[in-house]
């Protein structure tokens, strides 16, 4: 990259020196263009002289003061650019002076050539450079800093973390109690809801009817014994017999509960 910049600057200096040879006079063409434009504007100005070095130039609704000896104009364009403005040109024409002689020397050919007086000399390829006999410069040794090294880089001011969740910065909070914005339920002016209650639903008797009839419990009451009512029944637990545990003995061609042993064409169920 540095080699490209060097070649570009070497070419540009030669081009600017050749451009200077195309000038018609010793003043820069851009300065002459500005002077011609100001000369055309000076035709619309009227002047009043105080018989000394001060002039009053009226340009439309504005009045400016010009001093030729100190090269000052209240319009300030002459001091900023170094080229006489339209008011200064009017005063110079009144004294029958040439405005081109009052252009700053920074626009002269001699000053322009001094800018590009130094040349950049061509150099050989990098591989053809002679090796230096000086001591090679090496980087300083790396010093281990105390503490555990950080794994995350330092973020810039205003940079947000790139996570899956969206940032809540700039979102206005809202209250769950009064549903107004600007505060939460902790700072709500109406007060926080009582414990065990909700701001949306309140506890109360349910009007839903029972889903079915009450089923009596087979667990004996813990209190004193009372006589069973008509709706309460007690079931006596009977130990199962051996035939109930093992099941009935299977006999050949015995009918089953699914009715596989009933005769063909019979509609009566065998029990």
């Amino acid at each position: 990259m540095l080699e490209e910049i060097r070649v570009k600057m070497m070419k540009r200096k030669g081009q600017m020196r050749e451009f200077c040879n195309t000038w018609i006079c010793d003043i820069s063409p851009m300065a002459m263009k500005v002077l011609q434009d100001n000369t055309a504007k000076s035709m619309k100005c009227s002047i009043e002289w105080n018989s000394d070095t001060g002039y009053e130039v009226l340009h439309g609704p504005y009045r400016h003061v010009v001093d030729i000896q100190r090269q000052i104009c209240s319009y300030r364009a002459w001091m900023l650019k170094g080229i006489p403005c339209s008011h200064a040109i009017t005063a110079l024409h009144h004294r029958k002076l040439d405005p081109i002689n009052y252009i700053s020397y920074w626009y002269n050919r001699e000053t322009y050539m001094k800018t590009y007086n130094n040349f950049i000399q061509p150099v050989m390829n990098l591989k053809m450079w002679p090796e230096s006999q000086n001591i090679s410069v090496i980087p300083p040794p790396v010093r281990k800093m105390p503490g555990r090294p950080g794994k995350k880089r330092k973020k810039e001011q205003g940079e947000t973390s790139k996570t899956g969740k969206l940032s809540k910065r700039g979102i206005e909070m809202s209250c769950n109690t009064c549903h107004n914005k600007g505060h939460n339920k902790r700072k709500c002016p109406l007060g926080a809801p009582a414990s065990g209650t909700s701001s949306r639903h309140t506890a109360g008797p349910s009007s839903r009817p029972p889903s079915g009839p009450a089923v009596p419990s087979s667990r004996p009451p813990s209190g004193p014994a009372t006589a069973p009512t008509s709706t309460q029944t007690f079931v006596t637990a009977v130990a199962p017999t051996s035939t109930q545990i093992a099941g009935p003995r299977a006999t050949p061609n015995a009918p089953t509960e699914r009715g596989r042993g009933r005769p063909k064409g019979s509609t009566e169920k065998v029990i």
Side-chain angles (χ1 to χ4, degrees), residues 40-56:
K41 295 178 182 178
S42 65
M43 302 299 178
K44 302 179 181 179
C45 298
S46 58
I47 188 172
E48 297 293 339
W49 182 38
N50 68 343
S51 301
D52 193 9
T53 58
Y55 294 88
E56 289 185 3

Side-chain angles (χ1 to χ4, degrees), residues 220-252:
S222 59
T226 55
T229 60
S230 59
T231 59
Q232 295 179 350
T233 57
F234 296 96
V235 179
T236 304
V238 180
T241 61
S242 61
T243 57
Q244 291 177 352
I245 295 175
R249 181 177 297 180
T251 56

